[in-house]
Amino acid sequence: MQATAPAPPSGRSAGLVGAGILLSRLFGLLRQRALSHYLGLSDAADAFNAAFRIPNLLQNLFGEGVLSASFIPVYARLRAQGEEGEAVRVANAVFGLLGLITACLVALGVTLAAPLTDVIAPGFAGAKRDLTVLLVRILFPGAGLLVFAAWCLGVLNSHRRFFLSYAAPVVWNLAIIGALLWHGPRADAADTVLAAAWGAVAGSALQFGVQLPTVIRLLGRFGPRLEVQSAPVRQVLKHFGPVFVGRGVVQISAFVDTIIASLLPGGAVAGLASAQMLYTLPVSLFGMSVSAAELPEMAGAAARPGDAGTALRARLDQGLRRIAFFVIPSAAAFLGLGAVIAGALFQTGRFSASDSRYVWGILAGSAVGLLAATLGRLYSSAYYALQDTATPLRFALARVSVGSALGYLAATRLPGLLGLEARWGAAGITAAAGLAAWMEFTLLRRGLERRIGPTGVPARLFLRLWAAALVGLGAGLGVDHLPWHLAPVARAAAVLIPFGLVYLAITAWLGVPEARALAGQVGRWLGPRRGRA
């Protein structure tokens, strides 16, 4: 049998995933800033964000999350057992099946763009609805190409080539930014969003194309095929079903949020999208990076003879600590400094300071469940490592049901009870989703503890992290209230740098291992530069 390369440390793998995600998210923020500059929170911005939700369903249903849970454990196990030829056959069969299903769904989506728009944005009418329908038809083929890009990610992750797969969306963002810069200055808002949509399609092709050569080299033989007879392919399909439904449930939740926001005054859909862009940054950087790096390792730990639960629990707890260390200060910053963050990233052109404060309100609502959502991703990966895809599905169904009901009530009833404008109902949507995320997290943890024993982040560590984050927040707010007038980007730097440094200093002083390791890495990085100076 062919020996496989030893696995790198999970911290290094998570770092590579995080670096790739950080790079792609930074360019994603630049893309959103460009959209905000030309569109603000206009009807055209609402149309673009609502339209993107629909084909994005295709990408998320068949994309990264589903393939990570169903394809990667089977492919990685075959490689670990030295069955490289069978692993390649499985990869090619999965690509062929994805191609057939995706092609059919893209054709269906383009054909049914109008009724799909009426479902996702029932509050849109007239020219706003017509623009949304046209955008859906343009964006659907691009979403199909992103499914193939997600297949590339699955192969690359299994070979522990993490950086390329997560940095590849940079080219997608660049394509949209390029289309906006070329077309935006001399066009009205409707023409601008059409240019952005075509840029998204071109970027999807580029995102798939930059990964494919490396994937072909790793596979050694690339030949898509329609095959369901082999046992490994059937195993992928067996796990694919529950995860597909589970991802569909999550997407339904996102759709419900957009549906509710479309019933609110203009700008709510675009404001929700801007807040979600910021909210998903720590989820991706810390939740997704650790989960993606740990999934192959947890799958290996779960398959070991003997006390597999102990090995799995050790890897899980280590990942949970890393996530909590970074996500707790993120939640604190969203709650107290959201206007500063939104202003730095989006406040330009038609996007005003009032719009930044509006996005802050929505972002503060999402901070309620930020920690639960990120920790929950790793717990779900632990279930996948145990080849249990049904349990996370049940808990996801419960979360979406509760979150949707609470979200509707909070968005449509709460502003009136509090004497607020109706548009602030968008903050109720995100806060309700956060409460539902905590419910799902609790169910995931309790269910897993019954199988592998006690797990989680110690309460003492939670208290230390929150205490440090709140002191850092006080430092940031103190700087923000100084009597000076700075541009949004300079203001954010002046506020967020002290916030981060105070948090790092206190957690290191309190003996938090992750803080000391991070401080050591920074010191090693700065050391050679001081020597050269």
Side-chain angles (χ1 to χ4, degrees):
M1 294 191 299
Q2 182 177 350
T4 56
S10 63
R12 178 176 179 271
S13 298
L16 291 172
V17 177
I21 291 174
L22 176 61
L23 189 62
S24 64
R25 291 292 179 177
L26 288 175
F27 278 87
L29 291 171
L30 290 175
R31 180 202 79 226
Q32 193 67 22
R33 182 176 176 85
L35 285 166
S36 298
H37 178 82
Y38 292 117
L39 304 175
L41 298 183
S42 62
D43 282 354
D46 280 349
F48 182 83
N49 286 289
F52 193 76
R53 286 272 189 208
I54 300 173
N56 197 46
L57 170 65
L58 178 65
Q59 174 195 352
N60 284 297
L61 284 179
F62 292 92
E64 174 190 330
V66 174
L67 289 173
S68 294
S70 59
F71 170 58
I72 290 179
V74 174
Y75 183 81
R77 188 178 69 252
L78 290 172
R79 293 192 65 247
Q81 294 170 348
E83 300 181 37
E84 293 284 349
E86 186 65 19
V88 172
R89 286 185 60 190
V90 170
N92 285 320
V94 170
F95 186 92
L97 292 170
L98 281 176
L100 176 63
I101 297 171
T102 301
C104 294
L105 289 178
V106 167
L108 195 62
V110 171
T111 304
L112 299 178
L116 286 173
T117 298
D118 292 334
V119 171
I120 190 62
F124 290 4
K128 189 174 182 178
R129 174 190 177 275
D130 295 340
L131 179 60
T132 306
V133 171
L134 180 56
L135 289 170
V136 170
R137 291 190 172 122
I138 295 172
L139 289 168
F140 244 110
L145 291 169
L146 290 178
V147 172
F148 299 136
W151 171 84
C152 290
L153 180 144
V155 175
L156 291 169
N157 281 10
S158 298
H159 287 264
R160 298 181 174 86
R161 302 294 183 90
F162 294 105
F163 181 76
L164 174 61
S165 56
Y166 286 99
V170 168
V171 295
W172 181 79
N173 288 304
L174 283 174
I176 298 175
I177 293 170
L180 288 168
L181 293 176
W182 177 76
H183 202 269
R186 57 179 186 276
D188 61 20
D191 288 338
T192 298
V193 292
L194 290 175
W198 285 113
V201 175
S204 300
L206 290 171
Q207 183 174 332
F208 174 49
V210 298
Q211 297 180 82
L212 187 59
T214 303
V215 170
I216 293 175
R217 186 172 69 253
L218 291 172
L219 291 177
R221 186 176 70 255
F222 177 61
R225 54 196 296 167
L226 296 175
E227 177 185 345
V228 295
Q229 291 82 14
S230 73
V233 173
R234 290 199 301 271
Q235 190 173 15
V236 172
L237 295 176
K238 175 184 176 182
H239 295 309
F240 188 93
V243 182
F244 175 86
V245 176
R247 292 294 293 183
V249 169
V250 173
Q251 288 304 302
I252 290 173
S253 176
F255 276 128
V256 170
D257 290 349
T258 303
I259 291 170
I260 297 171
S262 76
L263 302 174
L264 301 176
V269 173
L272 184 65
S274 295
Q276 287 174 339
M277 171 68 70
L278 296 173
Y279 165 79
T280 56
L281 183 60
V283 173
S284 300
L285 281 176
F286 311 125
M288 185 187 298
S289 63
V290 174
S291 299
E294 287 292 347
L295 177 57
E297 311 305 331
M298 288 193 295
R304 290 176 191 168
D307 190 3
T310 300
L312 177 59
R313 188 168 61 249
R315 299 210 68 95
L316 177 61
D317 287 347
Q318 182 183 23
L320 292 171
R321 288 177 62 98
R322 288 204 304 271
I323 291 173
F325 174 74
F326 289 105
V327 171
I328 285 175
S330 301
F334 286 169
L335 284 169
L337 303 171
V340 175
I341 298 170
L345 296 172
F346 305 133
Q347 194 171 315
T348 177
R350 297 183 61 185
F351 199 101
S352 65
S354 175
D355 293 336
S356 295
R357 290 190 292 272
Y358 180 55
V359 170
W360 175 24
I362 304 173
L363 188 61
S366 67
V368 171
L370 181 61
L371 184 61
T374 47
L375 295 178
R377 291 184 75 99
L378 188 58
Y379 273 109
S380 293
S381 292
Y383 280 96
Y384 299 150
L386 293 169
Q387 298 191 34
D388 179 2
T389 55
T391 301
L393 169 59
R394 292 199 306 271
F395 297 156
L397 284 168
R399 174 174 65 85
V400 170
S401 300
V402 172
S404 298
L406 288 178
Y408 177 78
L409 293 174
T412 59
R413 300 288 187 267
L414 198 57
L417 293 175
L418 297 177
L420 300 173
E421 297 178 22
R423 68 177 189 142
W424 288 102
I429 297 173
T430 53
L435 294 176
W438 278 109
M439 182 196 70
E440 180 188 32
F441 163 76
T442 303
L443 293 172
L444 286 167
R445 186 182 65 182
R446 288 180 177 175
L448 195 62
E449 286 180 342
R450 286 195 291 267
R451 301 175 65 169
I452 67 173
T455 182
V457 181
R460 185 178 180 183
L461 178 60
F462 265 127
L463 292 175
R464 290 181 175 185
L465 295 179
W466 271 113
L470 292 176
V471 174
L473 180 60
L477 290 172
V479 173
D480 190 37
H481 283 82
L482 291 175
W484 53 16
H485 300 284
L486 298 174
V489 175
R491 179 188 175 198
V495 170
L496 294 176
I497 290 175
F499 166 74
L501 291 177
V502 169
Y503 174 77
L504 180 60
I506 293 178
T507 50
W509 177 69
L510 290 173
V512 176
E514 289 76 12
R516 292 186 171 180
L518 179 60
Q521 290 176 357
V522 173
R524 287 191 295 272
W525 182 76
L526 292 176
R529 286 156 178 77
R530 287 197 297 265
R532 287 196 297 269

